[in-house]
């Protein structure tokens, strides 16, 4: 894992945006995995400003709520259109987001996995992290080998997301999410986390034992995972000084 600690969400996001921009320039037909929530909002704003060419790019989103009408403002279909897709030149047919209204959910999930595979696999997967360590909507105790499937949200995640819905009762209970096994097959994972409320989940993910109780800990087994985090999210890391030293002393050829 490469832990990049920056003074602000802006500075951490700048680095993440440069990593994605380089990927798109080097491989115009890249496959990018996308995330939702408050964390990647700034990243999407920066990517729009960079005016990159998305015409050959394919995207797969991590997750979606089940049973909300697609036009509901809190579906991830709405989120992605509003915050990224309407502002870039991506082809509609290259966008993939789980269908929370699929009639046959297991069948849909199997096809989603097949589509990822048929696309050549995800080059960079953008990730946020829940306060409970979830990645995608893989809640604690998710199988570390899981594939795209239905999940039930924890009370904590429904509480965390109540701010988007106006009340906790309005947050759906069920979601479709890529599995942890699916995420682990991305060639690179790029996890962003900002704020003190993510500090414990980040410290466990980086320095704790690998456990399904914090699904993000499995990223310790991934060959190319970068964390772009701000100082408050890094507050509980025991080896933060080492990570800072590593980053500021990278050989030139390794810098972003
Ligand atoms: P947030 O959510 O970006 O809204 O904090 C992150 C997540 O739940 O993965």
């Amino acid at each position: 894992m490469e832990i990049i600690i920056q003074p602000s969400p802006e500075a951490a996001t700048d680095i993440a945006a440069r990593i994605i921009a380089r990927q798109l320039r080097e491989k115009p037909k890249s496959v990018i995995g996308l995330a939702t929530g408050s964390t990647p909002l700034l990243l999407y704003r920066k990517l729009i400003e960079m005016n990159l060419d998305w015409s050959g790019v394919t995207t797969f989103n991590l997750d979606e709520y089940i049973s909300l009408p697609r036009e509901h403002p809190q579906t991830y279909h709405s989120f992605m259109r509003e915050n990224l897709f309407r502002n870039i030149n991506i082809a509609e047919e290259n966008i993939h987001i789980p269908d929370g209204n699929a009639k046959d959910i297991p069948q849909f999930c199997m096809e989603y996995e097949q589509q990822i595979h048929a696309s050549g696999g995800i080059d960079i997967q953008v990730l946020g992290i829940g306060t409970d360590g979830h990645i995608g909507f893989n809640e604690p105790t998710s199988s570390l080998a899981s594939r795209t499937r239905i999940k039930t949200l924890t009370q904590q995640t429904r509480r965390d997301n109540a701010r988007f819905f106006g009340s906790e009762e309005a947050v759906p209970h069920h979601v479709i999410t890529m599995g942890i096994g699916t995420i682990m097959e991305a060639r690179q994972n790029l996890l962003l986390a900002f704020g003190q409320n993510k500090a414990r989940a980040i410290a466990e993910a980086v320095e704790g034992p690998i456990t399904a109780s914090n699904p993000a800990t499995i990223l310790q087994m991934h060959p190319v995972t970068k964390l772009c985090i701000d100082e408050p999210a890094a507050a509980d890391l025991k080896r933060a000084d080492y990570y800072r030293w590593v980053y500021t002393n990278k050989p030139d050829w390794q810098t972003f």
Side-chain angles (χ1 to χ4, degrees), residues 36-40 128-130 134 136 163-164 198:
T36 50
S38 48
T39 305
I129 185 169
H134 71 219
R163 68 191 193 280
F164 300 118
K198 300 292 173 73

Side-chain angles (χ1 to χ4, degrees), residues 72-237:
H72 188 289
Q74 293 309 328
T75 63
Y76 292 156
H77 281 80
S78 300
F79 176 101
M80 290 308 302
R81 181 153 304 105
E82 182 62 24
N83 294 299
L84 184 65
F85 295 145
R86 73 187 173 97
N87 296 306
I88 59 174
N89 67 336
I90 191 163
E92 194 67 34
E93 65 270 21
N94 291 348
I95 295 171
H96 304 85
I97 304 176
D99 179 1
N101 293 293
K103 290 215 168 53
D104 184 340
I105 289 176
Q107 177 68 24
F108 175 83
C109 293
M110 204 174 67
E111 287 169 8
Y112 202 67
E113 290 278 337
Q114 284 165 353
Q115 286 176 325
I116 295 172
H117 186 73
S119 74
I122 293 171
D123 290 299
I124 297 183
Q125 175 65 57
V126 177
L127 296 171
I129 185 169
T131 56
D132 58 6
H134 71 219
I135 47 176
F137 269 139
N138 294 284
E139 298 285 30
T141 71
S142 287
S143 158
L144 296 178
S146 51
R147 312 303 307 191
T148 303
R149 69 210 184 291
I150 186 171
K151 280 297 289 182
T152 304
L153 296 180
T154 61
Q155 277 308 102
Q156 183 175 340
T157 297
R158 293 184 64 245
R159 259 197 307 277
D160 287 346
N161 287 3
R163 68 191 193 280
F164 300 118
F165 286 84
S167 73
E168 197 177 315
E169 296 69 53
V171 182
H173 284 269
H174 291 112
V175 296
I176 294 176
T177 181
M178 273 188 211
I180 297 175
T182 322
I183 292 168
M184 288 295 283
E185 281 173 8
R187 292 184 188 90
Q188 182 174 165
N189 279 301
L190 190 53
L191 186 149
L192 287 84
F194 312 129
Q196 173 74 41
N197 65 334
K198 300 292 173 73
R200 190 178 54 87
I202 287 292
E204 285 176 7
V206 176
E207 295 172 341
I210 296 173
T211 167
S213 296
N214 176 329
T217 59
I218 193 63
L219 295 171
Q220 294 174 29
M221 294 289 289
H222 191 279
V224 193
T225 289
K226 296 183 175 68
L227 270 65
C228 296
I229 62 179
D230 67 357
E231 288 285 352
D236 292 354
L237 287 168

